[in-house]
Amino acid sequence: MKKNLFFYVFAVLCSVSIFTACSDDEETPVVPGQTTTISDQFVGKYKGVLDVKMVLESGQEAPLGTVSSQMITVTKAGDAAVNMQITNFSFVNLDLGTIDLKDCQLVDAGNGAYTFTATSNLDKTGLLAARINASGRFSNGKLALDLDIDEVAVGGNPVSYTVKVTYEGDQLTGNESSEAKILSFVFDREVAEVDSLVVVQPTIDEATKTISFMVADTAKAEYLKALVPTVEVSDKATVTPASGEAQDFSNGKVVTYTVTAEDGTVAEYKVSIAGSMAIYDFEDWTAGVEGQAPDMTFYNPTGWCSSNAGAQMLKGMNLTDSYVVMETDDAHSGEKAALIKSIDTKGMDMFIAKVPKVTTGSLFLGNFIINVSSTLKSTKFGIPYDKKPLSLKGWYKYTPGPEYYIVNEEPYDQHCHQAVLDETKTDEFMISVVLYETDEYDTSKWTDCLTGEADAENNIYNSSRVAAIAQLTGGEQADWKEFNLELEWKKEYNADTNYRMTIICSASKDGDKFWGAPESTLIVDDFELVSE
């Protein structure tokens, strides 16, 4: 409460010209008589450190803020008098504007030093009253200035503290550098472990004086309150806040960095989080359902799911000798990537279930729960997601299989075992990202998920519950190729709505119709999902 009251009082003080005249000291005023006047030697700009403290009645001092590169401009007011102006005066993110000291008479203090004092009474009847005491000294190219504010009363009620402002600065020569730039702005986990939440280092836009960066989509606000940037600025410039000081970037906060050049030129940079990002590098793999023999154990990228559980069942029936998702060392970066393959599963009518001729390899975010009577319902697409996804970027390779099969009769899942060769077609892959609405937000339940089934309302691509979608399809791609998908919005995003999000990678884009080519192989790596 006391600090807020001080801010109000001080803002009022600084909004008017509080120094009406500088008074004489006990020493004799300077009598001009030289060709170059006394005041000429002090005219110019000064740069230094300004401190503001609250002094309680007990004498205890409470720091209110420090400005490391405060500028004061001194101009000539007479042969032995100067005016002083403190520009852009601010502390603790409070801008108090400009303070003017008018017609300050210089007093010879000996050894080339000159002093001045000033006293002013401010009285706004019924609102604010205060006494302002200023004293200063020029000596050897330096300026020292003290401002004491006491006898402060608000609404006729005196407050129990005073305020002390001190300043020490050096006179500039005029040859100082005017460059005020942030050259580098980085987060280094070697400096602070919390900085590992920054997944894309900041980008500096010099034209707009903005700096933005990406954080992990798992980053919590409590951690984003303590990020520690390392800041490099122009030679001989200073920056506030200082490099290495923890800053609060949570909940969309913008932090302003002020760079002051050697000559006092000031530039402000606005720094904020541009969005969050989930990075999937496919380096870590986890065992799925354990088999009774090593060759019956399959693996999925950690956090992902696949149709490997279905392939395992078919493998146990000797209908295939391969899984549909496997790790590979043919990686874009790192040591591993994800290989997704469509496989030949013979085709068989087992009466209670139909085994398809072609089983499409699919890797996705969600769950796979085998449904023997309707295999397309086995894919439970989507994980709970509380952000607004914007784009998916990554790398892929693709090799289509040599023989393409189609199913001619609908419903396809009831005739999938009767696929026939179609020599006119060549297989294509598909990579999709989908956000859809859900009533069920419990990660342990999967009854409200969209699937691959034919029913449009429950289909991941066609349901009216889909809020946003992006898809990439294509054919043979021998070398690594980058893609960048921006989501197309079907509905306006609503932060109060529950959503599920999925990324789906399919080796055969028409796998939901049981069309495709055995041995079609899609390899993916280095996915980056950007969210707002």
Side-chain angles (χ1 to χ4, degrees):
M1 177 66 183
K2 290 182 178 180
K3 187 178 290 188
N4 290 337
L5 180 59
F6 164 69
F7 290 161
Y8 167 73
V9 171
F10 211 72
V12 173
L13 294 177
C14 295
S15 66
V16 298
S17 182
I18 61 176
F19 297 96
T20 57
C22 290
S23 64
D24 293 344
D25 203 342
E26 294 179 358
E27 301 178 63
T28 305
V30 173
V31 178
Q34 300 87 353
T35 303
T36 301
T37 65
I38 294 300
S39 58
D40 287 335
Q41 62 185 305
F42 305 122
V43 169
K45 291 184 177 180
Y46 293 75
K47 185 171 73 171
V49 178
L50 183 145
D51 283 303
V52 183
K53 296 179 181 178
M54 178 187 294
V55 183
L56 303 180
E57 196 172 26
S58 64
Q60 183 180 1
E61 294 184 347
L64 294 178
T66 298
V67 180
S68 61
S69 297
Q70 178 65 55
M71 300 301 300
I72 293 183
T73 301
V74 177
T75 58
K76 187 175 180 178
D79 290 346
V82 295
N83 299 322
M84 278 176 281
Q85 188 176 73
I86 305 175
T87 55
N88 300 316
F89 181 56
S90 65
F91 57 90
V92 290
N93 296 322
L94 181 66
D95 185 3
L96 299 178
T98 298
I99 297 178
D100 288 309
L101 283 72
K102 299 289 189 180
D103 195 28
C104 297
Q105 299 296 318
L106 300 174
V107 176
D108 188 349
N111 298 319
Y114 293 84
T115 62
F116 60 88
T117 60
T119 301
S120 178
N121 292 311
L122 180 66
D123 186 6
K124 286 187 172 292
T125 305
L127 180 63
L128 175 68
R131 184 178 67 182
I132 317 302
N133 302 296
S135 61
R137 179 184 180 91
F138 292 102
S139 178
N140 298 320
K142 296 181 180 296
L143 168 62
L145 176 65
D146 292 328
L147 303 179
D148 292 323
I149 304 173
D150 60 12
E151 298 184 7
V152 179
V154 178
N157 299 312
V159 298
S160 59
Y161 59 81
T162 60
V163 176
K164 180 180 289 291
V165 179
T166 60
Y167 174 84
E168 289 189 4
D170 294 309
Q171 186 176 23
L172 303 183
T173 66
N175 297 319
E176 289 81 8
S177 170
S178 62
E179 185 172 84
K181 290 183 178 180
I182 290 181
L183 305 178
S184 173
F185 195 102
V186 299
F187 294 92
D188 185 353
R189 68 181 304 167
E190 297 298 323
V191 174
E193 179 61 29
V194 71
D195 286 352
S196 61
L197 294 172
V198 178
V199 294
V200 176
Q201 288 292 343
T203 299
I204 302 174
D205 187 331
E206 187 61 36
T208 61
K209 291 293 191 291
T210 57
I211 300 175
S212 58
F213 58 97
M214 305 289 292
V215 298
D217 69 341
T218 55
K220 296 181 179 179
E222 61 186 288
Y223 301 124
L224 298 179
K225 291 180 179 180
L227 297 180
V228 184
T230 300
V231 187
E232 179 186 357
V233 297
S234 304
D235 185 34
K236 298 182 180 179
T238 58
V239 62
T240 304
S243 175
E245 288 186 359
Q247 299 299 320
D248 182 1
F249 290 99
S250 66
N251 301 315
K253 290 185 177 68
V254 177
V255 179
T256 299
Y257 278 78
T258 301
V259 183
T260 304
E262 187 184 19
D263 74 345
T265 300
V266 173
E268 289 188 346
Y269 290 78
K270 305 294 185 181
V271 186
S272 62
I273 295 173
S276 63
M277 179 182 291
I279 296 179
Y280 305 103
D281 58 13
F282 304 108
E283 293 293 315
D284 298 320
W285 292 68
T286 305
V289 178
E290 295 285 351
Q292 296 183 3
D295 65 334
M296 291 298 290
T297 300
F298 65 84
Y299 295 83
N300 289 324
T302 302
W304 290 74
C305 195
S306 73
S307 47
N308 269 342
Q312 183 194 50
M313 183 174 66
L314 297 174
K315 190 175 182 182
M317 298 166 61
N318 294 318
L319 294 175
T320 184
D321 59 0
S322 174
Y323 286 115
V324 293
V325 172
M326 295 157 278
E327 65 179 63
T328 175
D329 60 6
D330 183 7
H332 172 257
S333 70
E335 297 180 356
K336 299 176 183 178
L339 183 151
I340 304 112
K341 182 170 71 171
S342 293
I343 58 176
D344 188 340
T345 47
K346 307 296 193 290
M348 181 180 295
D349 187 351
M350 301 182 66
F351 302 106
I352 61 171
K354 306 294 190 292
V355 177
K357 166 65 177 175
V358 179
T359 295
T360 296
S362 60
L363 174 68
F364 58 92
L365 295 175
N367 198 7
F368 188 89
I369 302 174
I370 294 177
N371 186 320
V372 176
S373 62
S374 180
T375 57
L376 292 177
K377 293 182 180 181
S378 301
T379 49
K380 308 294 185 180
F381 295 118
I383 58 175
Y385 205 70
D386 61 357
K387 298 177 178 62
K388 180 181 179 180
L390 302 177
S391 64
L392 176 68
K393 182 170 67 173
W395 295 80
Y396 75 93
K397 285 182 174 184
Y398 185 66
T399 304
E403 296 181 331
Y404 191 91
Y405 290 85
I406 65 170
V407 177
N408 285 318
E409 294 186 60
E410 298 186 44
Y412 295 116
D413 59 342
Q414 297 302 309
H415 300 277
C416 60
H417 59 298
Q418 299 173 330
V420 296
L421 184 66
D422 187 335
E423 295 181 347
T424 67
K425 295 184 182 298
T426 302
D427 211 354
E428 294 184 350
F429 72 91
M430 183 160 65
I431 298 173
S432 307
V433 55
V434 182
L435 183 78
Y436 67 88
E437 300 168 339
T438 181
D439 293 327
E440 182 181 276
Y441 216 49
D442 188 342
T443 56
S444 66
K445 298 179 180 179
W446 302 93
T447 57
D448 196 44
C449 292
L450 297 181
T451 68
E453 62 185 290
D455 178 21
E457 189 51 34
N458 295 316
N459 183 272
I460 186 63
Y461 301 125
N462 300 316
S463 174
S464 63
R465 291 162 56 190
V466 172
I469 187 171
Q471 292 180 304
L472 173 70
T473 62
E476 184 172 5
Q477 178 61 44
D479 300 320
W480 283 108
K481 184 175 182 179
E482 187 177 24
F483 70 88
N484 193 353
L485 296 175
E486 294 187 3
L487 274 78
E488 176 186 353
W489 289 87
K490 307 293 185 181
K491 301 180 179 181
E492 184 176 354
Y493 179 80
N494 185 343
D496 295 326
T497 298
N498 292 335
Y499 293 102
R500 286 184 183 266
M501 182 277 301
T502 188
I503 300 171
I504 308 170
C505 303
S506 299
S508 299
K509 72 178 182 68
D510 290 320
D512 58 342
K513 296 189 290 187
F514 301 94
W515 293 15
E519 301 304 316
S520 289
T521 303
L522 173 66
I523 303 177
V524 296
D525 202 3
D526 295 333
F527 278 13
E528 297 176 355
L529 178 67
V530 176
S531 299
E532 189 175 276

